[in-house]
């Protein structure tokens, strides 16, 4: 193994990337863990916002519908980087004001929580649109059937709408998840210790820019490829019992 | 006329009144006195943002056409590299790509004397070539996927008809295949161009002075936080609106039979 590394002149890179302290591999992995944690949290929060947003847009009153339209339009028209800064400052300011009114001093907000809240609101706007389209694609007869059996709305949602829309929503949600993992990189600019920032620190202190950026790129790519496989399983599970598209077309 | 009518519903009037009150409150109680001092710089930044957006979109699209074609109909030795390129670009964050090019290549180039003495060196010392390269490759990666679908979506009979008339392959591509493919994905391309607009502020992290960089300079100079950011969001929304309108005009000019 070491001989092979020497052969390609990669011994130095391997040493820089090793997991124990002289190498920076541990830092990169810690950054990756933080990134994934933020991405998972933001994705989950986005799903919740998206579900309520989609129901509001489809079945809500005129005022709620207009407000949701403003939310999704504005969030999707402004760059994530600008939104992250705005939401970050608004969030910290609000929390400090609330803490101040209760007589506490300045509160330090953990990077992960702030990252989840900021990216979650951004994800929510996209998820609203994805889920709205998916819910609209459910044949209305199925929902009417549930209603005619006297199912309460929440049970209809849990038993009929969500399972029936899953197959329409998974491709869009898979895209959203990938956007979430890649958007965590933007948090580097606000100074969260996630993968991209760790990489930059490692790179600038060792001057081995290519090694670290390529390693980080490989880590992100690995996450993407694994997610692709997992979402493939989810999609197949969501489509179970449906005639496959290929058969249907013939 | 109908658009005006739909705006005149009572709840929308109340919402608009609330919004106007919010704008007036913003104008009165927030600080805007920094604007005159920074206006020339902001115009410069706006210009940078726009030209980077236009140049990278056009170059990226020019690169996406062969990428899409290679994936749609190319032999395996062309389609595999194209697919790998698209996967890698789409699978890694743009910020990382920009930093890899700027810091990586930027730290590599000075080691070679022949690059330092070449005529390109004055450009390679600046940040914007790296920004343009990174954004172009990113646009090409995403668009390559879109164009793959577009090229394979063109009805086969049209191409066969052109072939039957004895059209040369290049003419056929220029007159039938490309226009048909592009018109089918015009809405997608519009959306992707807005995504590209939203990617431009990342170039500020490698010292390119775009409109985002101007706002962060205002923030660090004057400690005014919200006002520059709000104005910045408005500017981006306005540019996104212009892009949407431009693509809508394109789409209206394309004959549709639906």
């Amino acid at each position: 193994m070491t001989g092979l590394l020497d052969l390609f002149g990669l011994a130095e890179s391997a040493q820089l990337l090793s997991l124990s302290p002289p190498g920076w591999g541990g830092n990169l992995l810690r950054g990756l863990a933080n990134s994934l944690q933020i991405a998972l949290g933001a994705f989950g929060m986005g799903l919740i916002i998206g579900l309520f947003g989609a129901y509001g847009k489809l079945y809500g009153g005129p005022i709620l519908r207009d407000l949701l339209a403003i939310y999704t339009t504005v969030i999707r028209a402004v760059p994530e980087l600008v939104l992250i800064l705005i939401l970050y400052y608004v969030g910290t300011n609000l929390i400090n004001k609330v803490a101040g009114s209760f007589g506490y001093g300045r509160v330090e907000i953990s990077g992960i929580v702030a990252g989840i809240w900021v990216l979650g609101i951004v994800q929510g706007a996209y998820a609203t649109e994805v889920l709205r389209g998916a819910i609209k694609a459910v044949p209305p007869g199925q929902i009417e059937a549930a209603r005619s059996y006297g199912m309460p709305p929440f049970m209809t949602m849990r038993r009929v709408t969500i399972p029936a829309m899953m197959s329409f929503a998974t491709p869009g949600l898979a895209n959203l998840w990938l956007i979430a993992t890649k958007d965590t990189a933007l948090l580097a600019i606000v100074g969260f210790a996630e993968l991209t920032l760790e990489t930059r620190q490692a790179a600038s202190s060792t001057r081995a820019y290519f090694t670290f950026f390529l390693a980080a790129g490989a880590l992100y790519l690995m996450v993407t490829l694994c997610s692709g496989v997992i979402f493939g399983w989810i999609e197949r599970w969501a489509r179970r019992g449906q005639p496959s598209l290929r058969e249907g077309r013939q | 006329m109908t658009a005006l009518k739909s705006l005149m519903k009572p709840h929308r009037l109340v919402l608009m009144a609330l919004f106007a009150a919010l704008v007036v409150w913003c104008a009165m109680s927030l600080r805007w006195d920094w604007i005159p001092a920074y206006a020339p710089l902001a115009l410069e930044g706006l210009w940078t943002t726009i030209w980077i957006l236009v140049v990278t979109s056009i170059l990226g699209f020019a690169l996406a056409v062969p990428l899409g074609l290679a994936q749609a109909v190319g032999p395996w030795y062309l389609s595999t590299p194209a697919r790998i390129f698209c996967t890698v670009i789409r699978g890694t964050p743009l910020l990382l790509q920009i930093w890899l090019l700027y810091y990586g290549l930027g730290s590599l180039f000075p080691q070679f004397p022949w690059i330092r003495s070449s005529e390109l060196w004055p450009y390679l010392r600046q940040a914007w070539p790296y920004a343009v390269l990174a954004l172009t490759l990113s646009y090409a990666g995403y668009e390559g996927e879109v164009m793959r679908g577009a090229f394979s979506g063109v009805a086969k009979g049209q191409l066969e008809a052109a072939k039957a008339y004895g059209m040369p392959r290049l003419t056929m591509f220029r007159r039938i295949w490309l226009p048909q493919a592009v018109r089918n994905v015009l809405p997608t391309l519009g959306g992707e161009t807005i995504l590209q607009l939203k990617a431009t502020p990342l170039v500020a992290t490698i010292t390119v002075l775009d409109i985002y960089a101007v706002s962060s300079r205002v923030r660090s100079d004057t400690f005014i936080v919200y006002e520059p950011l709000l104005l910045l969001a408005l500017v981006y929304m306005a540019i996104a609106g212009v892009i949407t309108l431009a693509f809508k005009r394109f789409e209206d000019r394309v004959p549709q039979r639906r």
Side-chain angles (χ1 to χ4, degrees):
Chain A
M1 185 68 189
T2 41
L4 206 65
L5 286 174
D6 279 332
L7 192 68
F8 289 106
L10 287 174
E12 202 185 345
S13 302
Q15 205 177 0
L16 282 172
L17 287 172
S18 75
L19 293 178
S20 47
W24 292 76
N27 288 38
L28 290 198
L29 287 185
R30 218 169 309 134
L32 179 67
N34 278 348
S35 287
L36 286 180
Q37 232 173 319
I38 295 175
L40 269 177
F43 187 64
M45 185 172 157
L47 275 186
I48 295 169
I49 295 179
L51 199 57
F52 284 108
Y55 263 85
K57 260 195 163 178
L58 287 172
Y59 306 115
I63 296 176
L64 183 65
R65 248 187 254 187
D66 278 6
L67 288 179
L68 284 170
I70 293 171
Y71 165 64
T72 51
T73 317
V74 168
I75 295 280
R76 296 192 306 162
V78 178
E80 281 83 354
L81 188 52
V82 179
L83 285 176
I84 285 172
L85 284 177
I86 294 180
L87 291 172
Y88 180 70
Y89 286 122
V90 169
T92 45
N93 213 353
L94 271 183
I95 289 184
N96 275 323
K97 278 220 173 101
V98 170
S101 66
F102 280 108
Y104 297 108
R106 282 189 70 83
V107 184
E108 275 302 311
I109 297 150
S110 97
I112 288 181
V113 174
I116 289 175
W117 128 265
V118 166
L119 285 186
I121 288 183
V122 177
Q123 286 268 311
Y126 291 88
T128 301
E129 291 298 296
V130 169
L131 293 178
R132 185 177 67 104
I135 292 176
K136 267 179 90 173
V138 175
Q142 298 190 1
I143 297 173
E144 280 165 14
R147 254 187 226 148
S148 72
Y149 272 106
M151 256 190 216
F154 262 101
M155 199 190 270
T156 314
M157 178 167 148
R158 199 170 40 116
R159 286 204 186 153
V160 180
T161 315
I162 291 182
M165 79 172 185
M166 275 300 277
S167 63
F168 302 108
T170 30
L173 292 181
N175 269 345
L176 268 186
W177 162 249
L178 294 183
I179 292 176
T181 54
K182 286 186 292 171
D183 271 359
T184 54
L186 298 180
L187 295 172
I189 289 164
V190 202
F192 294 151
E194 47 65 65
L195 181 53
T196 307
L197 190 68
E198 293 278 3
T199 308
R200 194 183 164 185
Q201 281 166 353
S204 56
S205 57
T206 55
R207 305 249 140 226
Y209 290 102
F210 264 113
T211 311
F212 283 112
F213 282 127
L214 288 180
L219 286 179
Y220 277 114
L221 202 58
M222 210 179 62
V223 172
T224 309
L225 295 178
C226 291
S227 318
V229 173
I230 293 171
F231 271 101
W233 290 340
I234 295 179
E235 197 171 336
R236 210 167 330 131
W237 168 80
R239 278 196 194 290
R240 73 206 182 283
Q242 288 185 0
S244 87
L245 280 179
R246 208 169 290 146
E247 283 165 28
R249 229 178 248 162
Q250 277 165 7
Chain B
M1 196 59 220
T2 47
L4 199 66
K5 217 177 215 172
S6 73
L7 277 180
M8 286 301 152
K9 287 182 184 146
H11 75 275
R12 288 205 168 129
L13 288 177
V14 173
L15 278 181
M16 277 191 284
L18 279 177
F19 182 71
L22 190 71
V23 170
V24 169
W25 178 82
C26 282
M28 303 297 277
S29 65
L30 297 180
R31 285 187 54 190
W32 302 105
D33 50 319
W34 47 272
I35 289 182
Y38 285 94
L41 198 66
L43 276 182
E44 214 174 288
L46 189 62
W47 169 241
T48 312
T49 297
I50 289 174
W51 81 251
I52 284 187
L53 172 69
V54 171
V55 166
T56 58
S57 300
I58 291 173
L59 289 180
F61 184 73
L63 204 56
V65 169
L67 277 172
L69 209 55
Q71 288 187 79
V73 291
W76 65 268
Y77 52 85
L78 288 180
S79 69
T80 312
R83 211 170 49 238
I84 291 175
F85 174 80
C86 288
T87 312
V88 169
I89 291 286
R90 286 150 42 100
T92 50
L94 178 59
L95 187 64
L96 198 75
Q97 295 163 13
I98 291 179
W99 286 357
L100 171 72
L101 287 181
Y102 180 65
Y103 295 109
L105 285 184
S107 70
L108 207 64
F109 282 156
Q111 296 169 7
F112 298 108
W114 61 271
I115 288 182
R116 295 191 68 142
S117 57
S118 77
E119 307 203 339
L120 282 175
W121 182 241
Y123 298 104
L124 292 180
R125 277 174 54 188
Q126 293 169 352
W128 64 263
Y130 301 98
V132 168
L133 180 63
L135 285 178
T136 302
L137 290 182
S138 148
Y139 194 77
Y142 284 90
E143 247 41 56
E145 281 293 303
V146 174
M147 290 315 286
R148 174 181 62 94
F151 279 127
S152 44
V154 172
K156 220 174 175 183
Q158 306 230 10
L159 303 178
E160 280 165 3
K163 216 180 272 173
Y165 274 106
M167 218 182 248
R169 277 171 68 176
L170 212 61
T171 319
M172 183 175 91
F173 175 75
R174 206 190 52 201
R175 285 207 191 143
I176 293 167
W177 209 357
L178 185 63
Q180 294 263 351
V182 169
R183 89 177 204 191
N184 285 340
V185 290
L186 260 182
T188 321
L189 284 182
E192 295 281 339
T193 310
I194 290 180
L195 289 185
Q196 181 78 352
L197 166 73
K198 300 201 302 178
T200 52
L202 292 182
V203 304
T205 60
I206 57 168
T207 71
V208 176
L209 194 83
D210 71 334
I211 183 76
Y212 170 81
V214 174
S215 103
S216 31
R217 184 180 288 185
V218 173
R219 214 171 62 235
S220 61
D221 283 357
T222 60
F223 300 108
I224 300 174
V225 174
Y226 292 114
E227 291 85 344
L229 282 174
L230 284 179
L231 209 55
L232 187 65
L234 272 184
V235 168
Y236 280 113
M237 280 197 282
I239 303 177
V242 170
I243 295 174
T244 315
L245 281 183
F247 270 91
K248 200 164 177 312
R249 283 193 66 174
F250 268 132
E251 279 170 46
D252 288 345
R253 278 177 50 187
V254 173
Q256 291 282 356
R257 36 145 220 206
R258 276 186 189 135

